[in-house]
Amino acid sequence: MLWLPEPPPGTQVCLGFDGADVSDWSGFGAETRDGYSFTPRRALHDDRPAIWKPEEALDGRIPRDQQRHALDGFMKRFRVMRLYADPWRYETDLEDWALAHGVEVVISWPTNRPKPMHEALERFHTDLTEGRIKQDGCPLTALAMDHARKVATKGAAERYGLAKPSDHQKIDPTLMRVLAHEAAADSRAEGWPDEVESKVVIFR
């Protein structure tokens, strides 16, 4: 599958973040106002996806300094409307990100809440099925979505979350996209403005 490029600098986007330390993958998903769901590159001239695997690090741990550097780059490269981030084990990181980029932009969105998570998954699935979301073809995300399995939420059979079929079959990029879509959907509901084109005014 062809991996399409990210949108040009200056594009309005929403981000989703799912964190991990030593076992799962960790990183960012993104979505534009018109529903282009993509994995941002780590930097403007670094074509690697902004998804980190612990086995690729020398000490086997997700490099949080690289994630922070990537986020700083997104904020400069795009017009980030908001970021929904799962805070589990990243509480202090999110506080630092919010201080740097605004508490109205960096928002904690716990994925362990059964009702909101179920509703976010349902919205993502529906909008994907109905063609409201266009995916970029990121191979890591495609693999993660293929791995993802629905599992019933304890005590609420009508609700479900996501689980991986085995420990090595990672699903984390799926959650990154779901969180980015939820952030984008909420931004649209609150009046996400149209892209503003810069104009040159000539005085005579």
Side-chain angles (χ1 to χ4, degrees):
M1 179 184 293
L2 177 65
W3 185 17
L4 300 175
E6 63 180 26
T11 301
Q12 294 178 346
V13 304
C14 285
L15 300 173
F17 174 80
D18 186 43
D21 278 324
V22 296
S23 58
D24 292 327
W25 297 352
S26 180
F28 298 88
E31 185 170 320
T32 64
R33 183 179 183 273
D34 61 359
Y36 181 51
S37 178
F38 67 99
T39 299
R41 272 53 170 184
R42 295 191 186 187
L44 187 59
H45 301 294
D46 184 347
D47 286 336
R48 292 177 297 171
I51 298 172
W52 286 262
K53 304 175 183 179
E55 62 268 24
E56 294 177 349
L58 292 176
D59 62 355
R61 299 182 66 85
I62 297 292
R64 298 191 185 207
D65 58 334
Q66 292 184 21
Q67 293 179 321
R68 171 64 182 266
H69 181 72
L71 177 60
D72 291 344
F74 303 153
M75 294 295 180
K76 295 176 181 177
R77 193 155 80 245
F78 303 115
R79 296 176 60 198
V80 178
M81 309 304 290
R82 67 177 68 186
L83 159 65
Y84 279 177
D86 186 359
W88 186 72
R89 302 192 74 171
Y90 271 75
E91 293 86 354
T92 302
D93 299 84
L94 297 193
E95 291 173 0
D96 291 342
W97 297 355
L99 285 173
H101 303 295
V103 295
E104 74 284 356
V105 174
V106 179
I107 299 169
S108 175
W109 205 101
T111 60
N112 62 354
R113 299 172 297 161
K115 185 174 185 293
M117 192 66 224
H118 170 84
E119 292 173 349
L121 291 170
E122 281 284 278
R123 171 150 58 183
F124 184 80
H125 180 265
T126 298
D127 290 348
L128 189 60
T129 302
E130 295 298 320
R132 299 188 185 102
I133 304 173
K134 177 184 177 183
Q135 300 213 63
D136 65 338
C138 168
L140 294 181
T141 302
L143 183 64
M145 289 188 177
D146 186 57
H147 289 162
R149 299 290 185 270
K150 293 181 180 179
V151 291
T153 302
K154 291 182 179 180
E158 71 280 4
R159 296 178 187 152
Y160 64 86
L162 293 183
K164 51 191 174 184
S166 64
D167 188 63
H168 72 279
Q169 294 176 297
K170 307 302 182 183
I171 65 171
D172 312 285
T174 306
L175 294 174
M176 300 168 201
R177 295 295 185 94
V178 171
L179 288 173
H181 185 59
E182 194 70 7
D186 287 348
S187 292
R188 294 185 197 103
E190 294 175 13
W192 190 336
D194 292 330
E195 298 280 358
V196 178
E197 296 183 0
S198 60
K199 298 180 180 180
V200 177
V201 179
I202 301 176
F203 294 94
R204 298 184 183 277

